[in-house]
Amino acid sequence: MKVLVSACLFGENCKYDGGNNQDLKIINTLLAEGIDPVVICPEVAGGLPIPRTPAELQGDKVINQDGEDVTEQFMAGARAAVELAKKHGCKAAVLKANSPSCGCGKIYDGTFSGKLVDGYGVTARLLRKSGVVVYTEETYKKMLIDFMFED
Ligand code: SF4
C-alpha cells in the first residue's frame, strides 16, 4: 500500500522557516507496516520558496503575513498532490496537522495568532474531494486500522 505523506513529517526541510517536522514514530511505523510513503510538500510543489512568509487561510483565500494572496500557489500544490496520489494509487494520506495546506479537521484561524478553527487545508480538501482519506500525525494509527486490517 502506498500512502501520501507530508514531506515535512518525513524530515524534508520544506517548512516556511526552512525546518521540518520530522516524526520518526510515524516513519518507522509506516515502514514497519510495509507502507510505501509517497512524499510531497504541496506548498513547494506549488512554486513557493523555502524559506517563505507564513500564510493562513482567510475564507477561500490564502494570504501570507505580508498581505500577499498566495491562493494560486496553494491550489497548484494541492493539484500536484492529487495528481501524485492518483499516479501512485494512494487511497490515504498522512498530513501535517493544522497547516493551511495539509491540516485536517483543524487549521489556523487566519489571524497569525496560533488559534485554531475547524477546517481543512487547501491540499487536504482537494485530496478528500478526490476520494483520498486524510489523517494527521495525531490520527495516523486510525489509518492502520481502517486500511491494514480490512477484509
Ligand atoms: Fe509540511 Fe504540508 Fe507545510 Fe509542506 S505544506 S511544510 S508538507 S505542512
Side-chain angles (χ1 to χ4, degrees):
M1 177 175 167
K2 289 187 175 182
V3 168
L4 204 73
V5 181
S6 290
C8 61
L9 287 177
F10 222 75
E12 277 189 24
N13 292 326
C14 54
K15 272 180 67 177
Y16 72 89
D17 61 1
N20 66 66
N21 299 304
Q22 189 179 55
D23 192 323
L24 289 175
K25 221 165 29 174
I26 295 179
I27 297 170
N28 290 335
T29 303
L30 295 184
L31 296 178
E33 294 289 342
I35 291 169
D36 196 357
V38 177
V39 172
I40 186 170
C41 172
E43 291 174 25
V44 173
L48 290 169
I50 307 167
R52 56 190 172 276
T53 307
E56 294 190 0
L57 267 159
Q58 295 178 3
D60 283 342
K61 300 246 172 253
V62 189
I63 308 293
N64 73 17
Q65 222 165 358
D66 295 332
E68 294 160 344
D69 186 336
V70 287
T71 310
E72 191 36 56
Q73 291 94 323
F74 271 63
M75 285 305 301
R79 289 192 292 269
V82 168
E83 279 310 305
L84 194 65
K86 274 190 188 150
K87 183 176 162 197
H88 289 275
C90 300
K91 291 183 187 162
V94 180
L95 304 176
K96 177 74 189 83
N98 308 335
S99 145
S101 288
C102 296
C104 306
K106 294 275 179 199
I107 50 169
Y108 292 116
D109 73 350
T111 63
F112 299 98
S113 60
K115 281 192 209 133
L116 295 170
V117 289
D118 291 343
Y120 287 81
V122 174
T123 292
R125 222 185 277 172
L126 208 60
L127 283 168
R128 290 178 88 215
K129 248 191 204 166
S130 75
V132 176
V133 187
V134 296
Y135 302 85
T136 68
E137 73 272 28
E138 293 152 1
T139 62
Y140 73 100
K141 284 194 177 157
K142 187 168 183 317
M143 177 188 76
L144 302 178
I145 295 164
D146 291 347
F147 283 88
M148 307 308 284
F149 300 110
E150 65 186 4
D151 289 336

